[in-house]
Tab-separated table of all heavy atoms in Angstrom:
chain	number	residue	atom	x	y	z
A	64	ARG	N	0.830	-1.210	0.000
A	64	ARG	CA	0.000	0.000	0.000
A	64	ARG	C	0.865	1.261	0.000
A	64	ARG	O	0.560	2.225	-0.695
A	64	ARG	CB	-0.929	0.001	1.214
A	64	ARG	CG	-2.212	-0.738	0.940
A	64	ARG	CD	-3.229	-0.545	2.051
A	64	ARG	NE	-3.644	-1.891	2.450
A	64	ARG	CZ	-3.529	-2.393	3.668
A	64	ARG	NH1	-3.062	-1.661	4.648
A	64	ARG	NH2	-3.926	-3.614	3.929
A	65	GLU	N	1.929	1.251	0.785
A	65	GLU	CA	2.828	2.407	0.819
A	65	GLU	C	3.462	2.641	-0.545
A	65	GLU	O	3.543	3.780	-1.024
A	65	GLU	CB	3.913	2.201	1.869
A	65	GLU	CG	3.417	2.247	3.291
A	65	GLU	CD	4.497	1.873	4.309
A	65	GLU	OE1	5.653	1.598	3.900
A	65	GLU	OE2	4.176	1.843	5.504
A	66	ILE	N	3.903	1.571	-1.186
A	66	ILE	CA	4.522	1.684	-2.511
A	66	ILE	C	3.497	2.156	-3.537
A	66	ILE	O	3.793	3.025	-4.366
A	66	ILE	CB	5.149	0.338	-2.930
A	66	ILE	CG1	6.357	0.042	-2.033
A	66	ILE	CG2	5.554	0.346	-4.398
A	66	ILE	CD1	6.908	-1.362	-2.178
A	67	GLU	N	2.282	1.617	-3.479
A	67	GLU	CA	1.234	2.043	-4.414
A	67	GLU	C	0.909	3.520	-4.233
A	67	GLU	O	0.673	4.228	-5.212
A	67	GLU	CB	-0.017	1.187	-4.231
A	67	GLU	CG	0.116	-0.207	-4.790
A	67	GLU	CD	-1.093	-1.087	-4.504
A	67	GLU	OE1	-1.878	-0.767	-3.572
A	67	GLU	OE2	-1.238	-2.096	-5.204
A	68	ASP	N	0.891	3.984	-2.983
A	68	ASP	CA	0.644	5.410	-2.730
A	68	ASP	C	1.745	6.273	-3.338
A	68	ASP	O	1.471	7.305	-3.949
A	68	ASP	CB	0.537	5.686	-1.227
A	68	ASP	CG	-0.749	5.152	-0.619
A	68	ASP	OD1	-1.689	4.845	-1.375
A	68	ASP	OD2	-0.795	5.041	0.629
A	69	LYS	N	2.992	5.850	-3.192
A	69	LYS	CA	4.112	6.597	-3.775
A	69	LYS	C	4.019	6.614	-5.296
A	69	LYS	O	4.258	7.644	-5.927
A	69	LYS	CB	5.444	5.994	-3.334
A	69	LYS	CG	5.771	6.243	-1.879
A	69	LYS	CD	7.079	5.595	-1.496
A	69	LYS	CE	7.377	5.783	-0.012
A	69	LYS	NZ	8.622	5.124	0.401
A	70	ILE	N	3.661	5.478	-5.882
A	70	ILE	CA	3.515	5.403	-7.341
A	70	ILE	C	2.400	6.343	-7.784
A	70	ILE	O	2.546	7.084	-8.767
A	70	ILE	CB	3.224	3.957	-7.788
A	70	ILE	CG1	4.476	3.098	-7.616
A	70	ILE	CG2	2.745	3.916	-9.236
A	70	ILE	CD1	4.245	1.613	-7.840
A	71	HIS	N	1.279	6.317	-7.082
A	71	HIS	CA	0.147	7.173	-7.435
A	71	HIS	C	0.550	8.644	-7.413
A	71	HIS	O	0.227	9.403	-8.332
A	71	HIS	CB	-1.017	6.923	-6.472
A	71	HIS	CG	-2.208	7.773	-6.736
A	71	HIS	ND1	-3.035	7.587	-7.807
A	71	HIS	CD2	-2.688	8.848	-6.065
A	71	HIS	CE1	-3.980	8.504	-7.796
A	71	HIS	NE2	-3.794	9.288	-6.742
A	72	ILE	N	1.274	9.056	-6.390
A	72	ILE	CA	1.721	10.447	-6.284
A	72	ILE	C	2.640	10.802	-7.452
A	72	ILE	O	2.515	11.868	-8.058
A	72	ILE	CB	2.412	10.692	-4.928
A	72	ILE	CG1	1.368	10.665	-3.809
A	72	ILE	CG2	3.150	12.020	-4.922
A	72	ILE	CD1	1.950	10.625	-2.415
A	73	LYS	N	3.560	9.917	-7.808
A	73	LYS	CA	4.466	10.184	-8.931
A	73	LYS	C	3.706	10.241	-10.251
A	73	LYS	O	4.018	11.048	-11.126
A	73	LYS	CB	5.565	9.133	-8.982
A	73	LYS	CG	6.531	9.262	-7.813
A	73	LYS	CD	7.788	8.484	-8.044
A	73	LYS	CE	8.702	8.566	-6.861
A	73	LYS	NZ	9.371	9.825	-6.695
A	74	LEU	N	2.688	9.395	-10.420
A	74	LEU	CA	1.908	9.393	-11.653
A	74	LEU	C	1.137	10.692	-11.848
A	74	LEU	O	0.844	11.082	-12.981
A	74	LEU	CB	0.944	8.207	-11.672
A	74	LEU	CG	1.570	6.832	-11.893
A	74	LEU	CD1	0.512	5.742	-11.736
A	74	LEU	CD2	2.232	6.738	-13.250
A	75	LEU	N	0.820	11.375	-10.754
A	75	LEU	CA	0.103	12.647	-10.869
A	75	LEU	C	0.938	13.713	-11.576
A	75	LEU	O	0.399	14.686	-12.102
A	75	LEU	CB	-0.313	13.141	-9.481
A	75	LEU	CG	-1.376	12.309	-8.774
A	75	LEU	CD1	-1.581	12.827	-7.349
A	75	LEU	CD2	-2.686	12.324	-9.534
A	76	TYR	N	2.249	13.550	-11.606
A	76	TYR	CA	3.136	14.525	-12.239
A	76	TYR	C	3.375	14.239	-13.720
A	76	TYR	O	3.983	15.044	-14.410
A	76	TYR	CB	4.471	14.579	-11.498
A	76	TYR	CG	4.352	15.213	-10.137
A	76	TYR	CD1	4.196	14.442	-9.002
A	76	TYR	CD2	4.347	16.599	-9.994
A	76	TYR	CE1	4.064	15.014	-7.746
A	76	TYR	CE2	4.205	17.186	-8.752
A	76	TYR	CZ	4.074	16.389	-7.622
A	76	TYR	OH	3.927	16.966	-6.392
A	77	ILE	N	2.916	13.102	-14.206
A	77	ILE	CA	3.100	12.756	-15.620
A	77	ILE	C	1.928	13.340	-16.405
A	77	ILE	O	0.769	13.033	-16.113
A	77	ILE	CB	3.168	11.232	-15.813
A	77	ILE	CG1	4.356	10.667	-15.042
A	77	ILE	CG2	3.253	10.882	-17.300
A	77	ILE	CD1	4.427	9.155	-15.050
A	78	PRO	N	2.196	14.173	-17.402
A	78	PRO	CA	1.090	14.770	-18.162
A	78	PRO	C	0.424	13.743	-19.079
A	78	PRO	O	1.018	12.718	-19.427
A	78	PRO	CB	1.782	15.860	-18.982
A	78	PRO	CG	3.179	15.390	-19.123
A	78	PRO	CD	3.499	14.628	-17.859
A	79	ASN	N	-0.826	14.026	-19.430
A	79	ASN	CA	-1.521	13.186	-20.399
A	79	ASN	C	-0.899	13.388	-21.767
A	79	ASN	O	-0.596	14.511	-22.168
A	79	ASN	CB	-3.004	13.547	-20.466
A	79	ASN	CG	-3.746	13.106	-19.242
A	79	ASN	OD1	-3.367	12.135	-18.604
A	79	ASN	ND2	-4.814	13.811	-18.906
A	80	ILE	N	-0.727	12.319	-22.501
A	80	ILE	CA	-0.170	12.394	-23.853
A	80	ILE	C	-1.342	12.517	-24.822
A	80	ILE	O	-2.239	11.678	-24.821
A	80	ILE	CB	0.666	11.146	-24.175
A	80	ILE	CG1	1.828	11.051	-23.179
A	80	ILE	CG2	1.160	11.179	-25.611
A	80	ILE	CD1	2.600	9.764	-23.260
A	81	PRO	N	-1.352	13.578	-25.647
A	81	PRO	CA	-2.457	13.736	-26.599
A	81	PRO	C	-2.473	12.595	-27.618
A	81	PRO	O	-1.439	12.025	-27.963
A	81	PRO	CB	-2.151	15.062	-27.297
A	81	PRO	CG	-1.160	15.754	-26.437
A	81	PRO	CD	-0.424	14.686	-25.708
A	82	ASP	N	-3.654	12.296	-28.097
A	82	ASP	CA	-3.817	11.292	-29.142
A	82	ASP	C	-3.104	11.759	-30.400
A	82	ASP	O	-2.955	12.960	-30.639
A	82	ASP	CB	-5.317	11.099	-29.412
A	82	ASP	CG	-5.581	9.948	-30.352
A	82	ASP	OD1	-5.605	8.796	-29.882
A	82	ASP	OD2	-5.764	10.219	-31.552
A	83	GLU	N	-2.667	10.811	-31.213
A	83	GLU	CA	-1.948	11.145	-32.459
A	83	GLU	C	-2.798	11.979	-33.409
A	83	GLU	O	-2.267	12.727	-34.226
A	83	GLU	CB	-1.498	9.867	-33.157
A	83	GLU	CG	-0.425	9.117	-32.411
A	83	GLU	CD	-0.053	7.795	-33.082
A	83	GLU	OE1	-0.577	7.500	-34.174
A	83	GLU	OE2	0.762	7.081	-32.494
A	84	SER	N	-4.128	11.863	-33.296
A	84	SER	CA	-5.007	12.597	-34.211
A	84	SER	C	-5.162	14.070	-33.809
A	84	SER	O	-5.709	14.860	-34.565
A	84	SER	CB	-6.389	11.937	-34.243
A	84	SER	OG	-7.023	12.048	-32.977
A	85	VAL	N	-4.659	14.455	-32.642
A	85	VAL	CA	-4.775	15.839	-32.183
A	85	VAL	C	-3.773	16.699	-32.947
A	85	VAL	O	-2.579	16.422	-32.939
A	85	VAL	CB	-4.508	15.934	-30.658
A	85	VAL	CG1	-4.528	17.388	-30.205
A	85	VAL	CG2	-5.514	15.116	-29.890
A	86	PRO	N	-4.261	17.750	-33.631
A	86	PRO	CA	-3.344	18.598	-34.392
A	86	PRO	C	-2.452	19.430	-33.461
A	86	PRO	O	-2.865	19.829	-32.385
A	86	PRO	CB	-4.263	19.496	-35.213
A	86	PRO	CG	-5.549	19.491	-34.494
A	86	PRO	CD	-5.641	18.178	-33.770
A	87	THR	N	-1.239	19.683	-33.908
A	87	THR	CA	-0.303	20.504	-33.152
A	87	THR	C	-0.628	21.972	-33.393
A	87	THR	O	-0.903	22.381	-34.514
A	87	THR	CB	1.142	20.217	-33.603
A	87	THR	OG1	1.382	18.826	-33.467
A	87	THR	CG2	2.135	20.974	-32.766
A	88	GLY	N	-0.605	22.754	-32.344
A	88	GLY	CA	-0.887	24.180	-32.477
A	88	GLY	C	-0.195	24.951	-31.384
A	88	GLY	O	0.253	24.392	-30.392
A	89	LYS	N	-0.099	26.264	-31.593
A	89	LYS	CA	0.573	27.127	-30.623
A	89	LYS	C	-0.390	27.740	-29.630
A	89	LYS	O	0.001	28.131	-28.549
A	89	LYS	CB	1.339	28.235	-31.344
A	89	LYS	CG	2.496	27.711	-32.157
A	89	LYS	CD	3.250	28.845	-32.792
A	89	LYS	CE	4.413	28.299	-33.605
A	89	LYS	NZ	5.230	29.343	-34.182
A	90	SER	N	-1.656	27.840	-29.992
A	90	SER	CA	-2.612	28.489	-29.108
A	90	SER	C	-3.985	27.854	-29.279
A	90	SER	O	-4.199	26.980	-30.118
A	90	SER	CB	-2.688	29.990	-29.404
A	90	SER	OG	-3.322	30.193	-30.646
A	91	GLU	N	-4.909	28.350	-28.516
A	91	GLU	CA	-6.290	27.872	-28.552
A	91	GLU	C	-6.925	28.078	-29.924
A	91	GLU	O	-7.781	27.312	-30.354
A	91	GLU	CB	-7.042	28.650	-27.477
A	91	GLU	CG	-8.464	28.284	-27.282
A	91	GLU	CD	-9.062	29.048	-26.118
A	91	GLU	OE1	-8.410	29.167	-25.072
A	91	GLU	OE2	-10.196	29.524	-26.293
A	92	GLU	N	-6.489	29.114	-30.630
A	92	GLU	CA	-7.047	29.410	-31.955
A	92	GLU	C	-6.695	28.332	-32.979
A	92	GLU	O	-7.336	28.229	-34.016
A	92	GLU	CB	-6.555	30.780	-32.456
A	92	GLU	CG	-7.234	31.970	-31.789
A	92	GLU	CD	-6.756	32.198	-30.365
A	92	GLU	OE1	-5.566	31.959	-30.068
A	92	GLU	OE2	-7.591	32.606	-29.538
A	93	ASP	N	-5.660	27.539	-32.727
A	93	ASP	CA	-5.263	26.479	-33.652
A	93	ASP	C	-6.111	25.219	-33.505
A	93	ASP	O	-5.959	24.278	-34.282
A	93	ASP	CB	-3.784	26.116	-33.448
A	93	ASP	CG	-2.855	27.266	-33.789
A	93	ASP	OD1	-3.217	28.066	-34.680
A	93	ASP	OD2	-1.789	27.376	-33.165
A	94	ASN	N	-6.994	25.193	-32.495
A	94	ASN	CA	-7.858	24.028	-32.299
A	94	ASN	C	-8.895	23.952	-33.402
A	94	ASN	O	-9.446	24.959	-33.839
A	94	ASN	CB	-8.567	24.100	-30.945
A	94	ASN	CG	-7.602	23.950	-29.788
A	94	ASN	OD1	-6.536	23.377	-29.936
A	94	ASN	ND2	-7.994	24.469	-28.642
A	95	ILE	N	-9.178	22.744	-33.831
A	95	ILE	CA	-10.174	22.518	-34.868
A	95	ILE	C	-11.439	21.999	-34.193
A	95	ILE	O	-11.395	21.022	-33.454
A	95	ILE	CB	-9.680	21.483	-35.891
A	95	ILE	CG1	-8.404	21.982	-36.568
A	95	ILE	CG2	-10.754	21.174	-36.921
A	95	ILE	CD1	-7.715	20.916	-37.395
């Protein structure tokens, strides 16, 4: 449980990876 808690805390710092179909853009205006 202690190890799982530590893993959970570390996972909170990993950002979500966008799907490959998401277009790259510099700002909100580049969203389709």
Side-chain angles (χ1 to χ4, degrees):
R64 273 189 233 121
E65 290 173 1
I66 292 170
E67 286 175 340
D68 288 344
K69 289 179 183 178
I70 289 172
H71 179 72
I72 289 169
K73 291 195 183 286
L74 287 174
L75 292 174
Y76 290 96
I77 299 174
N79 288 331
I80 299 171
D82 187 82
E83 292 176 4
S84 65
V85 176
T87 304
K89 293 183 180 183
S90 71
E91 183 175 317
E92 284 74 34
D93 296 329
N94 292 336
I95 299 169

